[in-house]
Amino acid sequence: MRTTRVAAAALLAAAALTLTACGGESAKPGSVTQIAGGQDNAKAATVLDRPFNKPELVLTDTTGKPWNLREQTKGKPTLIYFGYTHCPDVCPLTMSNIAVAKKALPKADQDNLRVVFVTTDPERDTPESLDAWLKAQDPSFIGLTGDFAAIQAGARTLGIGIEAATKDANGDVVSMHGAQVIAFSPKTDEGYVLYGEGTTVDDYTKDLPKLVKGETP
């Protein structure tokens, strides 16, 4: 498996060009299309030469309580993904791949790892619906919802573009969002590795043992 080093600033500049269009409930499998730009799927891990700072996000967790991203994940290996529960393919596949790979870790590392799913569709993704959806993936996964503007601003600080959900000509809800997973080091609390939507279970399985230690995959 190969890795690539890129500047975080370059990712920020390209955020608006790396959106994936996900259809609503009636969308057919395979309906996700990459708008522009994106990750070279042959290179699972993109190691950033200038890591991202963790966003200042205080949102609502699946119990309905405020959840401070920086405070709750401080000193913990953390994966952050922005998506939504009605996504027909990319979002559930990404979370499933991480869930499967996580099971290969020693129990202590599994307990230490934080996987945070931030909705890009807060109007439909209530704490209750997020809870049910994530429990089907991994009960330890953290789901966050809240004000869309705050979510969008937080995503942009990580070079991830998202847009408010809209309806297409068929009446289906379409959410435009970046499909990147950002890994944060437990040593520095900085986002230093990025994964694109083509990342497989095997990729995560190989990299997670290093990511939980804050090492470079």
Short mmCIF file of all heavy atoms in Angstrom, two decimals, residues 17-72:
data_model
loop_
_atom_site.label_atom_id
_atom_site.label_comp_id
_atom_site.label_asym_id
_atom_site.label_seq_id
_atom_site.Cartn_x
_atom_site.Cartn_y
_atom_site.Cartn_z
N LEU A 17 -14.53 21.13 -4.91
CA LEU A 17 -14.45 20.30 -6.10
C LEU A 17 -14.46 18.81 -5.79
O LEU A 17 -14.37 18.00 -6.69
CB LEU A 17 -13.17 20.64 -6.89
CG LEU A 17 -13.04 22.08 -7.36
CD1 LEU A 17 -11.70 22.27 -8.06
CD2 LEU A 17 -14.18 22.46 -8.29
N THR A 18 -14.60 18.45 -4.53
CA THR A 18 -14.54 17.04 -4.17
C THR A 18 -15.85 16.56 -3.56
O THR A 18 -15.86 15.73 -2.68
CB THR A 18 -13.39 16.79 -3.19
OG1 THR A 18 -13.57 17.62 -2.03
CG2 THR A 18 -12.06 17.06 -3.82
N LEU A 19 -16.95 17.12 -4.05
CA LEU A 19 -18.25 16.74 -3.53
C LEU A 19 -18.77 15.50 -4.25
O LEU A 19 -18.59 15.34 -5.45
CB LEU A 19 -19.25 17.88 -3.71
CG LEU A 19 -18.90 19.19 -3.00
CD1 LEU A 19 -20.01 20.20 -3.25
CD2 LEU A 19 -18.71 18.97 -1.52
N THR A 20 -19.44 14.65 -3.51
CA THR A 20 -20.09 13.49 -4.06
C THR A 20 -21.59 13.69 -3.96
O THR A 20 -22.09 14.14 -2.94
CB THR A 20 -19.69 12.22 -3.28
OG1 THR A 20 -18.30 12.00 -3.47
CG2 THR A 20 -20.45 11.01 -3.74
N ALA A 21 -22.31 13.39 -5.03
CA ALA A 21 -23.76 13.54 -5.02
C ALA A 21 -24.39 12.22 -4.61
O ALA A 21 -24.21 11.21 -5.28
CB ALA A 21 -24.25 13.95 -6.40
N CYS A 22 -25.13 12.24 -3.50
CA CYS A 22 -25.81 11.04 -3.03
C CYS A 22 -27.30 11.25 -3.14
O CYS A 22 -27.83 12.25 -2.65
CB CYS A 22 -25.45 10.74 -1.57
SG CYS A 22 -23.72 10.35 -1.34
N GLY A 23 -28.00 10.31 -3.76
CA GLY A 23 -29.44 10.43 -3.92
C GLY A 23 -30.18 10.06 -2.66
O GLY A 23 -29.62 9.61 -1.67
N GLY A 24 -31.50 10.24 -2.69
CA GLY A 24 -32.35 9.96 -1.54
C GLY A 24 -32.76 8.52 -1.46
O GLY A 24 -32.15 7.62 -2.04
N GLU A 25 -33.88 8.28 -0.78
CA GLU A 25 -34.31 6.92 -0.50
C GLU A 25 -34.57 6.11 -1.75
O GLU A 25 -34.38 4.90 -1.79
CB GLU A 25 -35.59 6.93 0.35
CG GLU A 25 -35.40 7.52 1.73
CD GLU A 25 -35.61 9.01 1.75
OE1 GLU A 25 -35.48 9.66 0.69
OE2 GLU A 25 -35.90 9.53 2.83
N SER A 26 -35.02 6.77 -2.82
CA SER A 26 -35.36 6.03 -4.03
C SER A 26 -34.19 5.90 -4.99
O SER A 26 -34.34 5.38 -6.09
CB SER A 26 -36.52 6.74 -4.75
OG SER A 26 -36.15 8.05 -5.13
N ALA A 27 -33.03 6.39 -4.60
CA ALA A 27 -31.86 6.28 -5.47
C ALA A 27 -31.46 4.83 -5.64
O ALA A 27 -31.61 4.01 -4.74
CB ALA A 27 -30.71 7.07 -4.88
N LYS A 28 -30.95 4.50 -6.79
CA LYS A 28 -30.54 3.13 -7.08
C LYS A 28 -29.09 2.94 -6.71
O LYS A 28 -28.30 3.87 -6.75
CB LYS A 28 -30.75 2.84 -8.58
CG LYS A 28 -32.20 2.93 -9.02
CD LYS A 28 -32.32 2.66 -10.50
CE LYS A 28 -33.76 2.79 -10.96
NZ LYS A 28 -33.90 2.54 -12.42
N PRO A 29 -28.70 1.68 -6.37
CA PRO A 29 -27.29 1.43 -6.08
C PRO A 29 -26.42 1.86 -7.24
O PRO A 29 -26.76 1.66 -8.40
CB PRO A 29 -27.25 -0.10 -5.87
CG PRO A 29 -28.64 -0.44 -5.43
CD PRO A 29 -29.54 0.50 -6.18
N GLY A 30 -25.29 2.46 -6.92
CA GLY A 30 -24.38 2.90 -7.96
C GLY A 30 -24.69 4.30 -8.46
O GLY A 30 -24.09 4.76 -9.42
N SER A 31 -25.68 4.98 -7.82
CA SER A 31 -26.08 6.30 -8.31
C SER A 31 -25.14 7.40 -7.88
O SER A 31 -25.29 8.53 -8.32
CB SER A 31 -27.49 6.62 -7.81
OG SER A 31 -27.51 6.70 -6.40
N VAL A 32 -24.18 7.10 -7.02
CA VAL A 32 -23.25 8.14 -6.57
C VAL A 32 -22.28 8.47 -7.69
O VAL A 32 -21.72 7.60 -8.33
CB VAL A 32 -22.46 7.65 -5.34
CG1 VAL A 32 -21.36 8.65 -5.00
CG2 VAL A 32 -23.39 7.49 -4.16
N THR A 33 -22.10 9.76 -7.92
CA THR A 33 -21.16 10.20 -8.95
C THR A 33 -20.18 11.18 -8.35
O THR A 33 -20.54 12.00 -7.51
CB THR A 33 -21.88 10.88 -10.11
OG1 THR A 33 -22.67 11.96 -9.61
CG2 THR A 33 -22.79 9.91 -10.84
N GLN A 34 -18.93 11.08 -8.76
CA GLN A 34 -17.92 12.03 -8.31
C GLN A 34 -18.01 13.27 -9.19
O GLN A 34 -17.97 13.18 -10.42
CB GLN A 34 -16.53 11.40 -8.40
CG GLN A 34 -15.45 12.21 -7.72
CD GLN A 34 -15.56 12.15 -6.21
OE1 GLN A 34 -16.19 11.27 -5.66
NE2 GLN A 34 -14.95 13.10 -5.54
N ILE A 35 -18.15 14.44 -8.55
CA ILE A 35 -18.33 15.66 -9.33
C ILE A 35 -17.04 16.08 -10.01
O ILE A 35 -16.99 16.33 -11.19
CB ILE A 35 -18.85 16.78 -8.43
CG1 ILE A 35 -20.18 16.34 -7.78
CG2 ILE A 35 -19.06 18.06 -9.20
CD1 ILE A 35 -21.24 15.93 -8.75
N ALA A 36 -15.97 16.18 -9.23
CA ALA A 36 -14.67 16.60 -9.79
C ALA A 36 -13.60 16.33 -8.77
O ALA A 36 -13.87 16.17 -7.59
CB ALA A 36 -14.69 18.08 -10.16
N GLY A 37 -12.38 16.31 -9.25
CA GLY A 37 -11.24 16.13 -8.34
C GLY A 37 -11.30 14.76 -7.70
O GLY A 37 -11.73 13.79 -8.29
N GLY A 38 -10.85 14.68 -6.43
CA GLY A 38 -10.96 13.43 -5.69
C GLY A 38 -9.62 12.77 -5.48
O GLY A 38 -8.57 13.24 -5.89
N GLN A 39 -9.70 11.62 -4.81
CA GLN A 39 -8.52 10.89 -4.38
C GLN A 39 -8.14 9.82 -5.40
O GLN A 39 -9.00 9.22 -6.02
CB GLN A 39 -8.85 10.21 -3.04
CG GLN A 39 -7.77 9.31 -2.51
CD GLN A 39 -6.84 10.06 -1.59
OE1 GLN A 39 -6.96 11.27 -1.46
NE2 GLN A 39 -5.94 9.37 -0.97
N ASP A 40 -6.88 9.59 -5.58
CA ASP A 40 -6.41 8.47 -6.37
C ASP A 40 -6.64 7.21 -5.56
O ASP A 40 -6.01 6.98 -4.54
CB ASP A 40 -4.91 8.65 -6.68
CG ASP A 40 -4.35 7.50 -7.51
OD1 ASP A 40 -5.07 6.52 -7.75
OD2 ASP A 40 -3.17 7.61 -7.90
N ASN A 41 -7.59 6.38 -6.03
CA ASN A 41 -8.00 5.23 -5.23
C ASN A 41 -6.88 4.21 -5.06
O ASN A 41 -6.99 3.31 -4.23
CB ASN A 41 -9.22 4.57 -5.87
CG ASN A 41 -10.47 5.41 -5.71
OD1 ASN A 41 -10.53 6.29 -4.86
ND2 ASN A 41 -11.47 5.16 -6.54
N ALA A 42 -5.82 4.32 -5.87
CA ALA A 42 -4.70 3.39 -5.72
C ALA A 42 -3.86 3.73 -4.49
O ALA A 42 -3.03 2.94 -4.07
CB ALA A 42 -3.83 3.42 -6.98
N LYS A 43 -4.08 4.91 -3.93
CA LYS A 43 -3.31 5.37 -2.78
C LYS A 43 -4.27 5.58 -1.62
O LYS A 43 -4.92 6.61 -1.53
CB LYS A 43 -2.57 6.66 -3.11
CG LYS A 43 -1.65 6.53 -4.33
CD LYS A 43 -1.08 7.88 -4.72
CE LYS A 43 -0.21 7.75 -5.97
NZ LYS A 43 0.32 9.06 -6.40
N ALA A 44 -4.35 4.60 -0.75
CA ALA A 44 -5.35 4.67 0.31
C ALA A 44 -5.11 5.82 1.26
O ALA A 44 -6.01 6.60 1.55
CB ALA A 44 -5.39 3.35 1.07
N ALA A 45 -3.89 5.93 1.78
CA ALA A 45 -3.60 6.95 2.79
C ALA A 45 -2.91 8.15 2.17
O ALA A 45 -1.91 8.02 1.46
CB ALA A 45 -2.70 6.35 3.88
N THR A 46 -3.47 9.34 2.41
CA THR A 46 -2.82 10.57 2.03
C THR A 46 -2.30 11.22 3.30
O THR A 46 -3.07 11.66 4.15
CB THR A 46 -3.80 11.53 1.33
OG1 THR A 46 -4.28 10.92 0.13
CG2 THR A 46 -3.13 12.85 1.00
N VAL A 47 -0.99 11.23 3.48
CA VAL A 47 -0.36 11.80 4.67
C VAL A 47 -0.15 13.29 4.44
O VAL A 47 0.49 13.69 3.47
CB VAL A 47 0.97 11.10 4.98
CG1 VAL A 47 1.60 11.71 6.23
CG2 VAL A 47 0.76 9.60 5.17
N LEU A 48 -0.69 14.10 5.32
CA LEU A 48 -0.63 15.55 5.16
C LEU A 48 0.66 16.11 5.73
O LEU A 48 1.01 15.82 6.87
CB LEU A 48 -1.82 16.20 5.85
CG LEU A 48 -3.20 15.67 5.44
CD1 LEU A 48 -4.29 16.36 6.24
CD2 LEU A 48 -3.43 15.85 3.94
N ASP A 49 1.35 16.95 4.96
CA ASP A 49 2.59 17.54 5.48
C ASP A 49 2.30 18.67 6.46
O ASP A 49 3.12 19.00 7.31
CB ASP A 49 3.49 18.03 4.34
CG ASP A 49 2.86 19.10 3.48
OD1 ASP A 49 1.67 19.41 3.68
OD2 ASP A 49 3.56 19.63 2.60
N ARG A 50 1.09 19.25 6.38
CA ARG A 50 0.64 20.24 7.35
C ARG A 50 -0.73 19.80 7.86
O ARG A 50 -1.74 20.04 7.20
CB ARG A 50 0.57 21.63 6.71
CG ARG A 50 1.94 22.28 6.56
CD ARG A 50 1.85 23.62 5.86
NE ARG A 50 1.55 23.46 4.44
CZ ARG A 50 1.34 24.47 3.61
NH1 ARG A 50 1.37 25.71 4.04
NH2 ARG A 50 1.08 24.24 2.34
N PRO A 51 -0.78 19.16 8.99
CA PRO A 51 -2.03 18.58 9.48
C PRO A 51 -3.11 19.63 9.75
O PRO A 51 -2.83 20.81 9.95
CB PRO A 51 -1.61 17.89 10.79
CG PRO A 51 -0.14 17.68 10.65
CD PRO A 51 0.35 18.87 9.87
N PHE A 52 -4.36 19.14 9.78
CA PHE A 52 -5.50 19.99 10.11
C PHE A 52 -5.66 20.11 11.62
O PHE A 52 -5.45 19.14 12.36
CB PHE A 52 -6.79 19.39 9.55
CG PHE A 52 -6.91 19.45 8.06
CD1 PHE A 52 -6.94 18.29 7.31
CD2 PHE A 52 -7.04 20.67 7.41
CE1 PHE A 52 -7.07 18.33 5.93
CE2 PHE A 52 -7.17 20.73 6.03
CZ PHE A 52 -7.19 19.55 5.29
N ASN A 53 -6.08 21.28 12.08
CA ASN A 53 -6.52 21.42 13.45
C ASN A 53 -7.91 20.80 13.60
O ASN A 53 -8.70 20.81 12.66
CB ASN A 53 -6.57 22.90 13.86
CG ASN A 53 -5.21 23.54 13.94
OD1 ASN A 53 -4.25 22.91 14.37
ND2 ASN A 53 -5.11 24.78 13.50
N LYS A 54 -8.20 20.29 14.77
CA LYS A 54 -9.51 19.70 15.01
C LYS A 54 -10.55 20.82 15.05
O LYS A 54 -10.34 21.84 15.71
CB LYS A 54 -9.50 18.92 16.33
CG LYS A 54 -10.65 17.95 16.50
CD LYS A 54 -10.42 17.06 17.71
CE LYS A 54 -9.34 16.03 17.44
NZ LYS A 54 -9.10 15.15 18.61
N PRO A 55 -11.67 20.66 14.34
CA PRO A 55 -12.68 21.73 14.31
C PRO A 55 -13.25 22.03 15.70
O PRO A 55 -13.37 21.14 16.54
CB PRO A 55 -13.78 21.15 13.41
CG PRO A 55 -13.12 20.08 12.63
CD PRO A 55 -12.05 19.52 13.51
N GLU A 56 -13.61 23.28 15.90
CA GLU A 56 -14.29 23.68 17.13
C GLU A 56 -15.79 23.45 16.94
O GLU A 56 -16.54 24.35 16.58
CB GLU A 56 -14.01 25.14 17.46
CG GLU A 56 -12.55 25.42 17.82
CD GLU A 56 -12.33 26.86 18.24
OE1 GLU A 56 -13.34 27.57 18.44
OE2 GLU A 56 -11.18 27.27 18.35
N LEU A 57 -16.22 22.23 17.17
CA LEU A 57 -17.61 21.85 16.94
C LEU A 57 -18.25 21.38 18.24
O LEU A 57 -17.74 20.47 18.91
CB LEU A 57 -17.70 20.71 15.91
CG LEU A 57 -17.73 21.09 14.43
CD1 LEU A 57 -17.73 19.82 13.58
CD2 LEU A 57 -18.94 21.94 14.11
N VAL A 58 -19.36 22.00 18.60
CA VAL A 58 -20.18 21.52 19.70
C VAL A 58 -21.55 21.21 19.11
O VAL A 58 -22.31 22.12 18.76
CB VAL A 58 -20.30 22.56 20.83
CG1 VAL A 58 -21.18 22.01 21.95
CG2 VAL A 58 -18.92 22.93 21.37
N LEU A 59 -21.85 19.92 18.96
CA LEU A 59 -23.08 19.49 18.32
C LEU A 59 -23.90 18.64 19.30
O LEU A 59 -23.62 18.61 20.49
CB LEU A 59 -22.75 18.73 17.03
CG LEU A 59 -22.01 19.55 15.96
CD1 LEU A 59 -21.54 18.65 14.83
CD2 LEU A 59 -22.91 20.66 15.43
N THR A 60 -24.91 17.96 18.78
CA THR A 60 -25.78 17.13 19.61
C THR A 60 -25.52 15.67 19.31
O THR A 60 -25.54 15.26 18.15
CB THR A 60 -27.25 17.47 19.34
OG1 THR A 60 -27.47 18.86 19.59
CG2 THR A 60 -28.17 16.64 20.24
N ASP A 61 -25.28 14.87 20.35
CA ASP A 61 -25.02 13.45 20.13
C ASP A 61 -26.31 12.66 20.08
O ASP A 61 -27.42 13.23 20.12
CB ASP A 61 -24.05 12.90 21.19
CG ASP A 61 -24.64 12.85 22.59
OD1 ASP A 61 -25.87 13.03 22.75
OD2 ASP A 61 -23.87 12.64 23.55
N THR A 62 -26.22 11.34 19.99
CA THR A 62 -27.40 10.51 19.80
C THR A 62 -28.25 10.39 21.06
O THR A 62 -29.35 9.83 21.01
CB THR A 62 -27.00 9.10 19.32
OG1 THR A 62 -26.05 8.54 20.23
CG2 THR A 62 -26.39 9.17 17.93
N THR A 63 -27.77 10.89 22.18
CA THR A 63 -28.58 10.93 23.40
C THR A 63 -29.28 12.27 23.57
O THR A 63 -30.02 12.48 24.54
CB THR A 63 -27.72 10.66 24.66
OG1 THR A 63 -26.84 11.77 24.88
CG2 THR A 63 -26.91 9.39 24.50
N GLY A 64 -29.02 13.20 22.62
CA GLY A 64 -29.63 14.52 22.69
C GLY A 64 -28.85 15.51 23.52
O GLY A 64 -29.32 16.62 23.77
N LYS A 65 -27.64 15.15 23.92
CA LYS A 65 -26.83 16.02 24.77
C LYS A 65 -25.74 16.73 23.94
O LYS A 65 -25.30 16.21 22.93
CB LYS A 65 -26.17 15.21 25.89
CG LYS A 65 -27.17 14.59 26.86
CD LYS A 65 -26.44 13.79 27.93
CE LYS A 65 -27.43 13.16 28.90
NZ LYS A 65 -26.73 12.36 29.94
N PRO A 66 -25.29 17.91 24.39
CA PRO A 66 -24.20 18.60 23.70
C PRO A 66 -22.93 17.75 23.72
O PRO A 66 -22.63 17.08 24.71
CB PRO A 66 -24.02 19.88 24.53
CG PRO A 66 -25.31 20.06 25.25
CD PRO A 66 -25.81 18.69 25.53
N TRP A 67 -22.20 17.80 22.62
CA TRP A 67 -20.99 16.99 22.49
C TRP A 67 -19.89 17.86 21.88
O TRP A 67 -20.01 18.31 20.75
CB TRP A 67 -21.27 15.77 21.62
CG TRP A 67 -20.39 14.59 21.87
CD1 TRP A 67 -20.58 13.59 22.77
CD2 TRP A 67 -19.19 14.24 21.15
NE1 TRP A 67 -19.59 12.64 22.69
CE2 TRP A 67 -18.72 13.02 21.71
CE3 TRP A 67 -18.47 14.84 20.13
CZ2 TRP A 67 -17.56 12.39 21.26
CZ3 TRP A 67 -17.32 14.22 19.67
CH2 TRP A 67 -16.87 13.01 20.24
N ASN A 68 -18.84 18.12 22.65
CA ASN A 68 -17.74 18.97 22.22
C ASN A 68 -16.67 18.09 21.57
O ASN A 68 -16.02 17.30 22.24
CB ASN A 68 -17.17 19.72 23.43
CG ASN A 68 -16.14 20.77 23.04
OD1 ASN A 68 -15.18 20.47 22.32
ND2 ASN A 68 -16.33 21.99 23.51
N LEU A 69 -16.50 18.26 20.28
CA LEU A 69 -15.58 17.41 19.52
C LEU A 69 -14.17 17.45 20.08
O LEU A 69 -13.54 16.41 20.28
CB LEU A 69 -15.58 17.81 18.05
CG LEU A 69 -14.63 17.03 17.14
CD1 LEU A 69 -15.05 15.57 17.05
CD2 LEU A 69 -14.58 17.65 15.75
N ARG A 70 -13.66 18.65 20.31
CA ARG A 70 -12.28 18.77 20.79
C ARG A 70 -12.10 18.15 22.17
O ARG A 70 -11.15 17.41 22.42
CB ARG A 70 -11.85 20.24 20.82
CG ARG A 70 -11.53 20.80 19.44
CD ARG A 70 -10.89 22.17 19.55
NE ARG A 70 -10.42 22.64 18.26
CZ ARG A 70 -9.81 23.80 18.07
NH1 ARG A 70 -9.60 24.61 19.11
NH2 ARG A 70 -9.41 24.17 16.87
N GLU A 71 -13.03 18.45 23.07
CA GLU A 71 -12.88 17.94 24.44
C GLU A 71 -13.10 16.43 24.52
O GLU A 71 -12.36 15.73 25.23
CB GLU A 71 -13.88 18.65 25.36
CG GLU A 71 -13.57 20.13 25.60
CD GLU A 71 -14.55 20.76 26.56
OE1 GLU A 71 -15.44 20.04 27.07
OE2 GLU A 71 -14.43 21.98 26.79
N GLN A 72 -14.09 15.93 23.80
CA GLN A 72 -14.46 14.51 23.91
C GLN A 72 -13.47 13.58 23.22
O GLN A 72 -13.43 12.38 23.51
CB GLN A 72 -15.85 14.29 23.34
CG GLN A 72 -16.96 15.04 24.05
CD GLN A 72 -17.23 14.50 25.45
OE1 GLN A 72 -16.79 15.09 26.43
NE2 GLN A 72 -17.92 13.39 25.54
#
